[in-house]
Amino acid sequence: YKAFLERMEVHVKEMYGEDPEQSPAFPRIINSRHFNRLKKLLGNGNVAFGGKTNEETCYISPTVITHPDMTSELMTDEIFGPILPVLEYEDISTVLRYIRQREKPLVAYLFSNNSKLVDEVKKKISAGTLDINDCLMHMTIPTLPFGGVGHSGSGKYHGKTSFEAFSHMKSVNHKPIGMEAVNTVRYPPYDAEWKQKLMMNLAYYKPSVPKNFAFAKYAITSAVAGAGAAYAYAYSGDMAPP
């Protein structure tokens, strides 16, 4: 944990020099309102390094916050600034549980060469996007849908997904009129016991077919429904089945 913080400070100096405020590569906060919002967040934990501000130029230095107040805006809202809260953990399951107990993020970031951990995070963390060993680059890939889930947003855009987001996929169910005779089972009266059982079976029938065989699942369901409809038609009216 301590070594991680030290390496972060080293890399900040490598990129922006001893004084990031003098670096032409380090930007400023866009306006006073957001400057004041971010400056307020600096008090929600311990400043490991950074924490320098200049209200006249809306400058906030690259800052790492340790032991943050878990109920503060720093940990419950989007930051959108050069402030990074860092938490220490011993068991990754604790981290995953913490994330799952809160609103789903727009993006989740994971840095790891552990393929088992990567797979676990893929399965257990619900987020708009999962970035592994990278930052922000998902937004530059036109074929990768981008958007939130739940609290972080709904819908996706980028490339073909953008077109689909603004298109209406109209559903059409067209049954030939000549097949109306097989619908007898759907219409009242429903007092016949055989009709009640058949309707229940068709309503809750779920064929046990592997997900990869979507067509097989459709074929089996259709066959059962067709057989049930034919059975109902054969014994429609007042006549009960033998």
Side-chain angles (χ1 to χ4, degrees):
Y1 178 67
K2 183 179 179 180
F4 174 75
L5 296 177
E6 291 175 349
R7 291 304 302 172
M8 287 192 67
E9 186 171 11
V10 167
H11 288 303
V12 167
K13 291 180 179 179
E14 286 179 351
M15 290 186 284
Y16 303 115
E18 290 292 333
D19 184 4
E21 189 172 9
Q22 305 304 318
S23 171
F26 192 77
R28 301 298 184 262
I29 308 305
I30 191 168
N31 55 38
S32 296
R33 180 169 69 88
H34 283 290
F35 169 82
N36 291 324
R37 176 183 64 82
L38 292 168
K39 184 178 179 180
K40 181 180 177 182
L41 297 182
L42 297 176
N44 294 151
N46 300 329
V47 177
F49 66 82
K52 297 180 180 179
T53 64
N54 185 330
E55 188 173 358
E56 291 185 0
T57 60
C58 290
Y59 165 78
I60 295 180
S61 64
T63 304
V64 168
I65 301 290
T66 59
H67 305 291
D69 180 353
M70 303 303 285
T71 62
S72 68
E73 292 182 349
L74 180 66
M75 296 302 296
T76 59
D77 205 353
E78 294 177 310
I79 298 175
F80 286 116
I83 304 172
L84 180 67
V86 177
L87 286 76
E88 185 177 10
Y89 72 92
E90 295 182 359
D91 184 5
I92 191 63
S93 61
T94 304
V95 178
L96 298 181
R97 183 165 56 252
Y98 174 84
I99 297 174
R100 287 166 61 89
Q101 289 174 344
R102 284 154 179 78
E103 297 290 357
K104 299 174 181 178
L106 178 62
V107 185
Y109 297 95
L110 172 66
F111 293 85
S112 175
N113 289 324
N114 187 324
S115 58
K116 184 177 180 181
L117 175 59
V118 170
D119 288 340
E120 185 177 10
V121 171
K122 284 181 180 179
K123 294 175 181 177
K124 293 184 177 180
I125 297 303
S126 178
T129 299
L130 174 60
D131 241 346
I132 302 172
N133 299 327
D134 208 346
C135 284
L136 298 177
M137 293 307 296
H138 59 277
M139 297 184 65
T140 69
I141 305 174
T143 56
L144 188 65
F146 176 69
V149 55
H151 184 74
S152 60
S154 61
K156 301 280 186 181
Y157 73 101
H158 279 185
K160 181 174 180 289
T161 312
S162 296
F163 179 81
E164 293 176 343
F166 293 98
S167 300
H168 172 63
M169 304 296 287
K170 179 171 63 178
S171 301
V172 176
N173 176 32
H174 184 177
K175 177 179 68 65
I177 192 65
M179 293 181 63
E180 182 59 27
V182 302
N183 288 339
T184 306
V185 67
R186 303 195 316 202
Y187 306 139
Y190 303 113
D191 52 347
E193 184 179 355
W194 69 268
K195 183 181 285 191
Q196 294 176 9
K197 289 182 178 180
L198 181 60
M199 291 287 287
M200 289 293 292
N201 289 335
L202 290 176
Y204 294 100
Y205 179 74
K206 294 182 179 179
S208 179
V209 179
K211 294 182 179 180
N212 293 335
F213 296 93
F215 177 76
K217 182 177 181 179
Y218 168 78
I220 293 175
T221 305
S222 300
V224 172
Y231 181 79
Y233 176 71
Y235 294 103
S236 60
D238 296 329
M239 184 175 65

